[in-house]
Amino acid sequence: MPVELIHSQLLDKYKALCHFTTTTHGGVSEGNYATFNLGLYSGDSPENVMENRSRLVSTIGLPLENLFLPYQTHGDKVYVIDKEFLQYPSTKQVQLLSGVDAVITNIPLICIGVTTADCVPVLLFDPENKVFAAVHAGWRGTVANIVGKTIEEMIRVFGSVPQNLVACIGPAISQAVFEVGEEVVLVFENAGLDLERIGKVNDMTKKTHIDLSLANQILLQKSGLNYEKIDISGICTYRDSLSMFSARRQSVKSGRIVSGGYLY
């Protein structure tokens, strides 16, 4: 089966940007990683992952050395890939992207992205300044407002205006199946997130379910983005077992999709 990519209709309108989210289709991995796993850090064979990454860049028309995916740790560190970064040897580049959960660049033909398997991927595009960002927002990153911190960095480094930004919230676990314990509910409450809007108590189990995609939409709007410039894919990674990896459904020892892109 060929590599399958999905797109945001909203971001598709911008010809200066190539963006995508991968699916499970098009690779060589097996088992819980079948077939198009692009994550190096969840237990799959590195050889299979690199073959899959080679297939991805071939599909989008770039060399493998132009693909940069950070080693994510559910934190709130944001890194800007600039010309100086590109001069470093690959070993230092990997080191600099370790512990990073959001990447930004304004350099054409440099593909950045984040890996997910239930967490929320957010793509941000500044069409005025030609800046692109990819954000990994699990529940910890959401509580830490990593999308807001990424936007702050786009403002600081590139002079981005939040009202000009366009965002896509990619495939993620849905509220219907994202059940959390009271300790997580408390963390969200302490962070000032509106549980009345993003939370729902299951009448049967009395457990709270949180809508991570909506939470990030709210955070994007608080950062100044206009509602009509935020696209939500609506794909639930847990329920779409045919096309999506899900750590909650399959365990953390499973595949990862990539949401990312590059500027022309």
Side-chain angles (χ1 to χ4, degrees):
M1 183 178 289
V3 170
E4 178 184 72
L5 304 177
I6 57 178
H7 304 271
S8 158
Q9 289 186 345
L10 185 58
L11 290 183
D12 266 344
K13 297 177 181 178
Y14 297 89
K15 303 308 178 187
L17 174 70
C18 170
H19 79 283
F20 60 86
T21 293
T22 64
T23 70
T24 57
H25 306 304
V28 298
S29 296
E30 299 176 343
N32 271 4
Y33 308 98
T35 62
F36 201 44
N37 169 44
L38 294 156
L40 270 174
Y41 307 106
S42 60
D44 193 10
S45 154
E47 292 78 16
N48 285 349
V49 176
M50 295 314 294
E51 171 60 25
N52 291 340
R53 291 186 177 192
S54 294
R55 293 185 180 199
L56 171 62
V57 294
S58 177
T59 301
I60 62 175
L62 291 180
L64 186 57
E65 58 266 27
N66 286 26
L67 175 66
F68 296 99
L69 305 175
Y71 172 61
Q72 302 155 193
T73 55
H74 297 273
D76 63 352
K77 185 176 178 181
V78 182
Y79 190 88
V80 176
I81 291 181
D82 54 18
K83 290 181 180 178
E84 182 180 1
F85 172 87
L86 296 177
Q87 300 304 312
Y88 294 135
S90 60
T91 50
K92 184 170 183 179
Q93 290 175 343
V94 170
Q95 181 182 13
L96 289 170
L97 291 178
S98 180
V100 169
D101 283 81
V103 278
I104 308 171
T105 194
N106 69 337
I107 301 176
L109 304 180
I110 294 300
C111 184
I112 59 173
V114 290
T115 57
T116 58
D118 285 338
C119 293
V120 181
V122 182
L123 301 181
L124 291 161
F125 178 52
D126 176 354
E128 301 298 322
N129 295 294
K130 301 295 188 295
V131 181
F132 180 61
V135 184
H136 163 252
W139 73 260
R140 290 179 178 85
T142 300
V143 166
N145 191 17
I146 189 170
V147 291
K149 290 171 181 173
T150 304
I151 292 166
E152 289 173 2
E153 193 72 351
M154 293 172 76
I155 295 168
R156 185 185 71 82
V157 178
F158 302 104
S160 296
V161 176
Q163 290 78 8
N164 293 336
L165 300 181
V166 185
C168 169
I169 296 173
I173 195 167
S174 64
Q175 182 186 54
V177 287
F178 188 52
E179 179 185 286
V180 300
E182 285 305 308
E183 70 284 356
V184 175
V185 173
L186 186 61
V187 173
F188 273 80
E189 288 177 340
N190 289 341
L193 289 156
D194 188 355
L195 267 297
E196 290 293 319
R197 289 186 66 185
I198 66 171
K200 182 179 181 181
V201 177
N202 184 309
D203 292 334
M204 298 284 290
T205 65
K206 305 304 179 185
K207 295 282 190 177
T208 299
H209 291 233
I210 290 178
D211 190 333
L212 286 179
S213 293
L214 176 58
N216 280 279
Q217 177 196 322
I218 292 169
L219 291 170
L220 288 168
Q221 290 180 259
K222 283 185 177 180
S223 289
L225 271 74
N226 296 323
Y227 172 78
E228 65 273 12
K229 291 186 177 180
I230 303 173
D231 188 23
I232 299 181
S233 87
I235 296 172
C236 175
T237 47
Y238 183 94
R239 287 181 162 172
D240 188 355
S241 58
L242 294 178
S243 297
M244 293 288 143
F245 296 112
S246 168
R248 181 162 286 208
R249 187 183 72 242
Q250 300 172 284
S251 87
V252 293
K253 297 293 186 181
S254 60
R256 301 292 187 270
I257 61 169
V258 165
S259 296
Y262 64 88
L263 302 162
Y264 287 108

